[in-house]
Amino acid sequence: MIKEQEKRLFEHWQTERGYPSFIADGVFDEKLWTAEPLKLTFVLKEANWRNGNVDLCKWVLDNTPWKTWNNIARWTKGMLEGGDYPAYLSMEERNRLLSRVSFLNLKKTGGGSRTDSRELRTYAHADAPYIREQLLLYRPDVIVCCGKWSVADSLEKEVLQRPDLPGPFLPVQDWEDWDGAPCCYTRFPGKERLTPVISFRHPEKRYSGHAQWRAWYAQIKAVREMLLPPDR
């Protein structure tokens, strides 16, 4: 059902906004997502893609890993499973981990390897009703913003803190620091608990390698310990 809802939303989104191309994202595997007790959504800037329409979920699972998706798979493991840092990830293991989460790009038209922060905010502001509708499909337990303040700030100010938009208001409250990862909270309709929105690293940060990725993995595991009871 979620994939069907995504498809209808994306078709409407592209038509209403008049985008000549559209980079679809979302839930990788509906069955595994539905079964996952902790619903985890990653929010990114834009896809490095200029080749027309694409289902990025399918493309990522079918193609050779990028550093971006290897690191998101590592963070998924750190958040959902814990354990030692996985320096090597086979494509099968990477896909097993990614299939348990959802992701969305704030800018759906694609772009290059570098993102203009002002342009990102412009797109997030204009597309906020659709981004909110996509988030409401998932109602995640945890949101991880990939790109430090540029993504978290755009999500908070241009999408969540928008009382002018129709539908349920998604307030943001109480910024705090979780082991070096700034975090605020929002509340989705029908959920008893607040959803933390974590401002985290960009998974394809330049000039980074395993030493840096290992430190980020430890950081995401620390976030898991703050979120989950000891017996998880």
Side-chain angles (χ1 to χ4, degrees), residues 71-191:
N71 279 329
I72 288 179
R74 290 182 177 108
W75 299 346
T76 298
K77 174 176 166 52
M79 184 69 77
L80 300 183
E81 298 178 355
D84 294 336
Y85 169 75
Y88 171 75
L89 283 175
S90 67
M91 191 166 176
E92 180 181 18
E93 176 65 3
R94 181 204 64 161
N95 287 357
R96 180 188 73 81
L97 291 164
L98 292 177
S99 293
R100 300 168 66 184
V101 302
S102 64
F103 78 101
L104 66 89
N105 285 298
L106 292 176
K107 181 169 174 270
K108 291 291 199 285
T109 58
S113 58
R114 290 180 178 269
T115 301
D116 184 304
S117 296
R118 288 174 296 181
E119 182 183 57
L120 180 70
R121 290 190 68 141
T122 298
Y123 271 89
H125 185 89
D127 284 354
Y130 308 101
I131 298 170
R132 285 160 61 96
E133 188 173 346
Q134 187 176 2
L135 284 170
L136 286 165
L137 289 180
Y138 311 144
R139 296 191 304 132
D141 299 308
V142 183
I143 295 172
V144 178
C145 296
C146 302
K148 288 301 278 185
W149 283 110
S150 61
V151 177
D153 195 54
S154 293
L155 181 66
E156 176 198 356
K157 294 177 180 174
E158 309 302 337
V159 179
L160 298 178
Q161 291 278 48
R162 292 284 302 279
D164 57 306
L165 295 177
F169 179 49
L170 304 176
V172 173
Q173 55 185 275
D174 299 332
W175 277 101
E176 58 186 54
D177 188 272
W178 282 13
D179 195 35
C183 172
C184 66
Y185 301 87
T186 190
R187 186 187 295 278
F188 288 95
K191 293 185 76 73

